[in-house]
Amino acid sequence: MLKLSPISLYIHIPWCLKKCGYCDFYSYVSKEIIPEKKYIENLLKDFEQDLNSVQNRIINTIFIGGGTPSLLKNISIRKLIYGIKERSLVSKNVEITIEANPKIIECQRFIHYKESGINRFSLGVQSFHSNLLKKIERTYNSDEVINSIKTLKKTSENINLDLMYGLPEQTLEHSLLDLQYAIKYNPNHISWYQLTIEPNTPFYSKKLNLPKENTIFKIFSKGDKLLKKSGYKKYEISSYSKPNYQCQHNLNYWNFGDYIGIGCGAHGKITKKNGKIIRTFKNKNIKDYLNGNYLNSINIVSEEDKIFEYFMNTFRLYKPVFKRHFREKININETNIEKKIQIAIKNGLLINTKNYWNTTKKGKLFLNSLLKIFLK
């Protein structure tokens, strides 16, 4: 029988001011008044149903994402957080994050959010250059970005800034300036990742003037050095933090931990004591969801998919992957994948020791090639 650890809770708020051309997250453009009260009531009912499957496991982290969660009023966030705590076992040291848009930052609102128990704020900056923000269809400009950071810092020191590189017509100088601006405001955490154009997004069919591959490599190399030199430790492919400020919620994902996903279009992952892993997918239709039809489907993850999904997460981290952890998380012995491990070693992507595996520098750089080895 597996030892089941504490879990995380992801809460999806599907409304946005505008759908960005690169975004493949599930969201609605807010053209009418958001039915906040009814949505919060249904979120809590959705949560109650999922609690039946987790058997009183402690919730260590809560992440309110979207969409744009900061569209919600103070009273809605308070009712949501209090409702979660009334219905479940929540850790005294729970990390509660909310995502925010620089267009919607009011000091008083965020003070109220903090009073409700939110202790981490993630600001979707993407760039400090107004012309680049316009090219990726963000709804704010550089002045609003800077004002939003200053406003948030009056509320909390525990702030993450989300930044992108590889934007249309972005140069090496633009990218490094973005990082320099971010570092200047001294957030405790910076998420810095490359823009990727997914097939199901409006940008996929557009002709975008994206930076060449060699420019991307230079941006990554110089930016990575700048962040590390400025006191940020890289602990995951796109995550840098000051000491003791790693995002615990995301660490749970990358360590292949379990999480409940509630809200329109949310996903969840729950491990049963017999080793089965269940993935839940919530209803994407907002009208159906508000009528109490929460669950869209449940999938049992196959043995082969368990292996692939485990490595897809754990190989993102800048630390060894212990074989004991592999056995504990997916209830499979590492001898079952010995041939695939040998292929990864032969290709210079992986190091194998008695107790752990570790990706090589080449393995991190060509992570997709490493992961393909573990596909069916």
Side-chain angles (χ1 to χ4, degrees):
M1 300 288 272
L2 292 180
K3 181 183 176 183
L4 300 179
S5 55
I7 60 172
S8 293
L9 169 63
Y10 174 75
I11 304 169
H12 193 68
I13 309 298
W15 293 280
C16 272
L17 291 173
K18 183 182 184 301
K19 183 83 171 174
C20 300
Y22 62 86
C23 179
D24 67 338
F25 291 112
Y26 188 70
S27 61
Y28 286 96
V29 176
S30 175
K31 292 181 178 177
E32 301 173 358
I33 296 172
I34 296 172
E36 289 186 40
K37 185 178 178 183
K38 191 171 183 182
Y39 190 67
I40 298 299
E41 288 170 357
N42 280 279
L43 279 175
L44 293 173
K45 289 177 184 176
D46 184 5
F47 181 59
E48 286 172 359
Q49 288 187 10
D50 276 1
L51 282 177
N52 295 327
S53 65
V54 297
Q55 300 171 338
N56 292 324
R57 290 164 71 181
I58 295 170
I59 294 174
N60 267 353
T61 71
I62 300 172
F63 196 103
I64 307 172
T68 307
S70 55
L71 284 169
L72 298 189
K73 297 183 181 76
N74 310 326
I75 192 169
S76 298
I77 293 295
R78 185 168 67 248
K79 185 177 179 182
L80 175 61
I81 299 298
Y82 288 3
I84 295 297
K85 289 181 176 179
E86 284 171 357
R87 289 165 172 78
S88 61
L89 298 171
V90 176
S91 167
K92 290 180 181 178
N93 300 315
V94 62
E95 174 194 87
I96 308 179
T97 304
I98 190 167
E99 290 182 331
N101 184 308
K103 194 81 177 176
I104 313 159
I105 297 285
E106 302 166 9
C107 191
Q108 201 58 42
R109 174 178 295 195
F110 283 87
I111 288 170
H112 285 306
Y113 282 179
K114 192 173 181 182
E115 288 170 350
S116 298
I118 290 171
N119 49 29
R120 187 174 182 273
F121 297 87
S122 184
L123 189 63
V125 172
Q126 317 314 349
S127 176
F128 286 86
H129 292 84
S130 294
N131 62 324
L132 294 178
L133 289 168
K134 193 172 181 180
K135 288 182 188 301
I136 58 170
E137 301 181 353
R138 300 299 281 179
T139 58
Y140 47 83
N141 58 40
S142 58
D143 287 339
E144 288 170 311
V145 168
I146 291 165
N147 288 335
S148 66
I149 295 171
K150 289 178 178 177
T151 301
L152 260 185
K153 283 189 77 69
K154 293 175 186 175
T155 307
S156 174
E157 282 299 313
N158 197 2
I159 295 170
N160 168 62
L161 299 184
D162 257 6
L163 289 170
M164 282 188 189
Y165 64 91
L167 307 181
E169 297 180 28
Q170 187 180 39
T171 64
L172 172 61
E173 290 73 22
H174 283 144
S175 299
L176 295 180
L177 272 173
D178 275 344
L179 286 177
Q180 286 165 4
Y181 277 125
I183 291 164
K184 173 186 170 185
Y185 292 105
N186 197 34
N188 289 317
H189 193 286
I190 294 176
S191 299
W192 187 56
Y193 49 94
Q194 185 183 346
L195 170 66
T196 53
I197 308 300
E198 301 293 344
N200 57 335
T201 61
F203 275 8
Y204 190 73
S205 56
K206 282 190 176 183
K207 199 168 184 180
L208 299 170
N209 186 15
L210 298 174
K212 298 283 191 292
E213 204 169 281
N214 62 335
T215 303
I216 291 289
F217 184 73
K218 286 177 184 175
I219 289 171
F220 168 76
S221 299
K222 289 185 179 292
D224 186 66
K225 287 177 184 175
L226 175 61
L227 283 160
K228 289 173 180 174
K229 186 180 176 182
S230 303
Y232 291 90
K233 184 179 179 182
K234 187 174 192 176
Y235 66 98
E236 186 268 343
I237 280 179
S238 58
S239 301
Y240 300 76
S241 80
K242 295 287 182 71
N244 303 316
Y245 281 97
Q246 296 94 336
C247 177
Q248 297 305 309
H249 186 86
N250 286 342
L251 274 175
N252 184 50
Y253 289 156
W254 299 322
N255 279 302
F256 209 55
D258 287 348
Y259 57 96
I260 296 171
I262 62 171
C264 202
H267 295 180
K269 170 187 170 282
I270 300 297
T271 305
K272 299 294 184 180
K273 285 188 176 179
N274 60 6
K276 282 186 179 179
I277 294 177
I278 310 294
R279 289 205 175 272
T280 60
F281 302 88
K282 297 300 171 67
N283 201 326
K284 285 186 175 182
N285 186 296
I286 189 67
K287 288 182 180 177
D288 286 347
Y289 189 87
L290 291 175
N291 284 327
N293 300 315
Y294 309 130
L295 190 62
N296 178 57
S297 64
I298 295 178
N299 291 340
I300 298 174
V301 182
S302 71
E303 297 292 286
E304 288 174 315
D305 283 343
K306 270 201 249 183
I307 294 166
F308 174 74
E309 289 184 15
Y310 175 85
F311 286 130
M312 185 174 68
N313 285 278
T314 57
F315 281 161
R316 292 178 65 98
L317 293 167
Y318 278 77
K319 68 172 189 176
V321 176
F322 286 92
K323 295 175 183 180
R324 184 186 64 179
H325 185 269
F326 174 84
R327 294 191 295 270
E328 287 175 352
K329 284 295 179 182
I330 64 174
N331 205 28
I332 295 173
N333 195 286
E334 64 270 21
T335 54
N336 293 4
I337 57 168
E338 188 57 36
K339 287 182 180 178
K340 294 186 176 186
I341 293 294
Q342 291 305 319
I343 293 169
I345 293 167
K346 186 179 178 181
N347 291 334
L349 302 170
L350 202 64
I351 295 167
N352 184 26
T353 74
K354 182 181 177 182
N355 295 316
Y356 64 82
W357 303 289
N358 209 351
T359 50
T360 61
K361 190 174 181 181
K362 181 183 176 184
K364 275 288 187 284
L365 198 58
F366 298 99
L367 187 57
N368 285 342
S369 298
L370 173 57
L371 292 173
K372 279 179 184 176
I373 295 169
F374 296 94
L375 282 170
K376 289 181 183 178

